[in-house]
Amino acid sequence: MIRKVFTTLSLGLLVFGVPVKAKAYEVNEKLSIEANLTGVYQWLDKRKGDFKDEEKGSVVLDARVTFKPTEKDEFSVRGSFAKGNGLKKVSPFKLSPNSDDLRDDLHNINNRSRDHLQELWYARTFDLPGNSTLKTTLGIIDATAFIDQNRFANDDLTQFMNEAFVNNPLTNLVSYDYGVAVEWSKGPFSLALLGMQSKTDENEDPRFDKKTYNYYAAQVGYKLETSLGEGNYRVFAFTTNKRFPDWDGEKKKALKGWGISIDQDIIKNTLGVFARAGFQDDDAVIDYKSMYSLGLNYKFKPFGVKNVELGIGYAYLKAPSKNEELKHTQAVEAYLSVPIYEKEKLFASHLTLDWQWMKDRLKYEENPENKGHIFGVRLNLAF
């Protein structure tokens, strides 16, 4: 089985044929190129429910080109190519065990008839009176870059893989669509305002099928520096216009809610903790009404190997009472990320061993729950 995993990952690397370059290769002082090549293989081990064991893999190449003509101006374009969908199409769980964008995610993005292109934006930074700054970003953007960030649970390439720990699922963050973001900062305080436009998912009712909607979000943040280390405390809220069906499929409703995201060092550069909470109005059809997650991040040096990272997280998501299928979801994930090779911070590779346990508590009499383990291995090369 292990041999099959590494054979799959190796074939994926050969398919994309990416040379080993720099993590952020600077063509010159204004132009830089970054790339990530990530191979994942996961096994789904059934414990209870109406599904079967599965094993699937995927390989993804992400690339970004950044151009900074001045210290205040920045242009960026990002694209992604993937082979395979992993467990996304066969997993019985509401939450995805791999939140990375895979093959089907990169085709017809947001029903825009656009493939592979994820971001294309321009940003301008302004210096304001009182030692404050204002940054505006306009174009095809990703809401996760501005809302619900977290140092210990936000990167699906090197940290947690489960959807519950990468971002708050209740926030309905829009990725890879048209929008504008404004970020203000002064000392430890920050404020982010976001407006985006996207399209709803497919729906049998033409009133709700692939309809354009607006998404708005705001976040207030505070960065705390103490003897323990760094801490970040964020509160955000979001809403849309009325484009989503209610539970009777008769009226159009808005998605709206709020949440918090916290990351805090306990031992500087060694041990940190994170927590999230989210709450969502259930006038429209939604999967979850409330969500809580927490976990830790531990960096250590076993046998002299630097920057080995252990992450552990737990999440509980409660469905609204109007949901006729689902009661709640629980997820546990633990990963061990081991650096394989790093050269002058220009090239880095990490091997991650990952374990997840998930349970969807259902409202069915014959099959009241889906429960199982997901074992995974991830190889990431950052150029």
Side-chain angles (χ1 to χ4, degrees):
M1 183 63 71
I2 297 298
R3 181 179 178 183
K4 183 177 180 180
V5 171
F6 284 101
T7 299
T8 302
L9 295 180
S10 300
L11 287 175
L13 301 183
L14 291 174
V15 166
F16 288 104
V18 178
V20 176
K21 294 185 178 179
K23 186 177 180 181
Y25 178 68
E26 295 184 356
V27 179
N28 52 49
E29 61 181 9
K30 296 181 178 181
L31 181 65
S32 64
I33 302 173
E34 301 176 37
N36 276 279
L37 185 61
T38 308
V40 172
Y41 207 87
Q42 293 179 308
W43 300 267
L44 171 59
D45 180 24
K46 171 186 171 181
R47 282 295 175 260
K48 190 174 182 180
D50 186 18
F51 63 98
K52 61 181 181 178
D53 294 352
E54 297 280 359
E55 54 181 278
K56 300 286 183 180
S58 62
V59 180
V60 181
L61 170 63
D62 297 296
R64 181 187 294 275
V65 178
T66 301
F67 177 60
K68 297 181 179 180
T70 71
E71 293 183 355
K72 303 295 184 181
D73 298 282
E74 181 178 359
F75 295 88
S76 184
V77 58
R78 174 190 172 192
S80 186
F81 300 84
K83 181 177 178 62
N85 286 307
L87 292 176
K88 283 193 175 184
K89 299 296 182 180
V90 298
S91 171
F93 302 109
K94 281 290 184 181
L95 299 174
S96 172
N98 183 1
S99 67
D100 196 8
D101 299 301
L102 303 183
R103 185 186 64 192
D104 287 1
D105 301 318
L106 298 170
H107 290 273
N108 192 26
I109 297 174
N110 295 328
N111 294 308
R112 295 289 193 182
S113 299
R114 168 167 44 89
D115 300 335
H116 306 296
L117 177 63
Q118 296 169 298
E119 297 180 52
L120 179 61
W121 49 260
Y122 164 71
R124 170 79 176 181
T125 301
F126 302 89
D127 293 325
L128 301 180
N131 295 322
S132 62
T133 62
L134 183 71
K135 182 178 180 181
T136 60
T137 305
L138 175 68
I140 301 175
I141 60 178
D142 182 1
T144 64
F146 309 99
I147 305 295
D148 189 42
Q149 306 97 318
N150 197 293
R151 283 186 300 146
F152 303 132
N154 213 190
D155 185 354
D156 51 16
L157 300 184
T158 61
Q159 298 175 336
F160 294 98
M161 298 174 64
N162 192 287
E163 179 184 357
F165 302 111
V166 178
N167 282 107
N168 188 333
L170 277 66
T171 313
N172 298 296
L173 292 169
V174 177
S175 291
Y176 321 135
D177 226 325
Y178 307 111
V180 58
V182 179
E183 300 170 275
W184 173 86
S185 63
K186 180 179 181 180
F189 297 97
S190 64
L191 172 66
L193 301 176
L194 175 72
M196 295 186 68
Q197 188 179 84
S198 192
K199 286 192 175 183
T200 61
D201 295 331
E202 293 183 3
N203 193 297
E204 295 180 357
D205 191 329
R207 293 176 299 168
F208 307 107
D209 182 45
K210 301 178 183 179
K211 296 299 182 181
T212 300
Y213 71 94
N214 298 327
Y215 179 91
Y216 308 100
Q219 176 176 279
V220 177
Y222 181 77
K223 183 176 181 179
L224 178 66
E225 294 283 358
T226 67
S227 58
L228 296 176
E230 179 181 334
N232 293 282
Y233 298 80
R234 304 175 180 91
V235 180
F236 57 84
F238 72 92
T239 188
T240 69
N241 54 345
K242 296 181 178 181
R243 292 292 186 273
F244 300 86
D246 66 3
W247 294 93
D248 296 324
E250 297 178 355
K251 298 181 180 179
K252 296 179 180 180
K253 297 293 184 178
L255 301 176
K256 51 188 175 181
W258 66 281
I260 62 173
S261 177
I262 298 171
D263 59 75
Q264 175 66 58
D265 288 332
I266 301 300
I267 302 176
K268 191 173 183 179
N269 299 323
T270 301
L271 180 64
V273 295
F274 71 88
R276 278 191 174 102
F279 308 91
Q280 187 176 191
D281 185 89
D282 64 352
D283 285 346
V285 176
I286 56 174
D287 290 329
Y288 300 108
K289 185 175 182 178
S290 60
M291 174 268 194
Y292 308 90
S293 69
L294 72 162
L296 60 84
N297 177 278
Y298 178 53
K299 295 181 176 67
F300 59 111
K301 303 177 183 179
F303 309 107
V305 179
K306 297 181 180 180
N307 299 320
V308 175
E309 187 172 311
L310 172 68
I312 301 174
Y314 169 78
Y316 177 86
L317 301 93
K318 185 177 181 180
S321 58
K322 301 174 185 178
N323 192 315
E324 297 180 354
E325 299 179 356
L326 182 66
K327 288 185 177 180
H328 64 257
T329 293
Q330 295 183 74
V332 180
E333 182 173 1
Y335 71 87
L336 181 68
S337 178
V338 181
I340 300 176
Y341 179 76
E342 185 171 353
K343 184 178 181 180
E344 298 178 354
K345 298 182 180 180
L346 299 178
F347 168 76
S349 59
H350 290 81
L351 178 66
T352 304
L353 303 178
D354 186 82
W355 166 77
Q356 301 177 39
W357 174 86
M358 280 197 286
K359 182 177 77 171
D360 284 340
R361 184 65 179 179
L362 308 173
K363 294 184 177 179
Y364 304 131
E365 294 183 1
E366 295 184 359
N367 298 295
E369 63 183 24
N370 288 328
K371 181 168 61 175
H373 300 277
I374 296 174
F375 304 93
V377 58
R378 176 180 60 200
L379 178 62
N380 174 257
L381 309 179
F383 311 106

